[in-house]
Amino acid sequence: MTDKLVQPFSQKRTAELAESLSAGGTIKGRSLWADARNRFVANKAAMASVVVLLLVFAFSLLGDYLTQFDNETIDWDVMGSVKELGRPSLSNGHWFGFDESGRDLYSRVVQGSRISLSVGLVGAFIAVMVGTLYGSVAGFVGGRVDSIMMRLVDIFMSIPYMFVLILLLVVFGRSISMLFVGIGLTAWLDMSRIVRGQTLSLKNREYVEAAVAMGVSTPKIITRHIVPNLLGVVVVYATLLVPQMILTESFISFLGLGVQEPDTSWGALISEGVKSMNYGTLWHLAFPLFFFVITIFCFFFIGDGLRDALDPKDR
């Protein structure tokens, strides 16, 4: 109880309390989440990243409505034009240019953004769900169960995850759904170790011991008391996990093992852009690489902002 009442205050919070007392006012309590929200909003880099990331999501969802071309149709009118060479042009409607096959690059970047973001979010969601449940059960139950579960994690971590992912894609077929499952199921191991360590520090808290004394079942204790108190750590790690998923998908697609034609992703577009650099068409690489880089940076800045905002030592 004492550690909940006596908490360190920042200088700004202390000044606010002193000003309120000197003015004869009352002190209004603020929750941890309210303080975290205020600190996150005050982080300019994180807020700017949120705005940019929302624009990227809007581009991936609504970008198709701003062009007359789709990602599969070949524009034969521009294919025979030597002067165009696939350059971006407002006159012919190809804002990002067109690839070697005459397909609109803008539409393909929109589709690539949609697929890459979907793989990143869904893969991170699967990794977070599996890792959180696995780590919380191992940490709370403890004993021999904890030892067996964590030794299995050590064994799985000793196997190169990229080899496992490539093997899954080769055996079960190269599809978007397989990318979701493969990337998610190979990224939960670190999450389980983090959650297990946090669970060990939570299982001896008073409210958990009270629930055990009252005869509450283990699954209910884990879902109602352990997991909700892990949300801060889980959210921060998830924001850092999404760019890792996008990087993994892009690398797989760069190797030609990811999404297959006519679908595309950032990695596949970057791979095509690298091949077309020999012809001096740098924009084939520039546009997908631009969206790829700013998205990765935005997730990293948001993750850093959430980590600083949820740091209990900064309250």
Side-chain angles (χ1 to χ4, degrees), residues 87-279:
R87 289 190 178 91
S89 175
L90 297 178
S91 60
N92 57 22
H94 295 286
W95 301 339
F96 289 0
F98 52 90
D99 61 11
E100 296 178 353
S101 301
R103 296 172 296 185
D104 183 55
L105 187 59
Y106 171 85
S107 299
R108 292 182 63 77
V109 172
V110 170
Q111 187 198 39
S113 301
R114 189 182 303 123
I115 291 179
S116 293
L117 290 174
S118 299
V119 171
L121 293 175
V122 175
F125 177 77
I126 295 175
V128 167
M129 291 296 294
V130 176
T132 300
L133 292 177
Y134 192 93
S136 59
V137 170
F140 183 78
V141 175
R144 183 174 297 178
V145 174
D146 180 30
S147 299
I148 294 175
M149 294 179 69
M150 297 316 296
R151 295 298 78 76
L152 288 176
V153 170
D154 294 337
I155 293 174
F156 292 150
M157 292 188 70
S158 65
I159 303 174
Y161 77 95
M162 192 60 67
F163 172 77
V164 176
L165 179 57
I166 293 175
L167 184 63
L168 289 175
L169 292 173
V170 172
V171 173
F172 296 100
R174 292 174 286 181
S175 62
I176 298 178
S177 59
M178 199 62 234
L179 274 176
F180 290 159
V181 176
I183 292 178
L185 292 181
T186 55
W188 64 272
L189 301 174
D190 289 333
M191 187 76 224
S192 65
R193 295 172 70 95
I194 294 174
V195 170
R196 183 238 180 198
Q198 294 294 319
T199 303
L200 291 176
S201 64
L202 291 174
K203 64 183 295 185
N204 296 323
R205 296 292 179 89
E206 293 82 358
Y207 54 87
V208 177
E209 293 179 351
V212 174
M214 293 174 62
V216 180
S217 63
T218 298
K220 288 186 177 180
I221 294 177
I222 293 175
T223 56
R224 294 184 180 181
H225 299 287
I226 300 297
V227 174
N229 286 279
L230 294 172
L231 286 180
V233 176
V234 169
V235 168
V236 172
Y237 188 76
T239 57
L240 301 177
L241 194 60
V242 173
Q244 179 182 342
M245 300 293 99
I246 296 177
L247 285 169
T248 302
E249 182 278 328
S250 299
F251 178 72
I252 291 295
S253 297
F254 187 86
L255 295 178
L257 297 174
V259 295
Q260 300 300 305
E261 292 289 351
D263 296 328
T264 188
S265 67
W266 284 336
L269 290 172
I270 292 173
S271 178
E272 295 175 2
V274 171
K275 296 177 182 178
S276 64
M277 286 180 62
N278 296 328
Y279 307 101

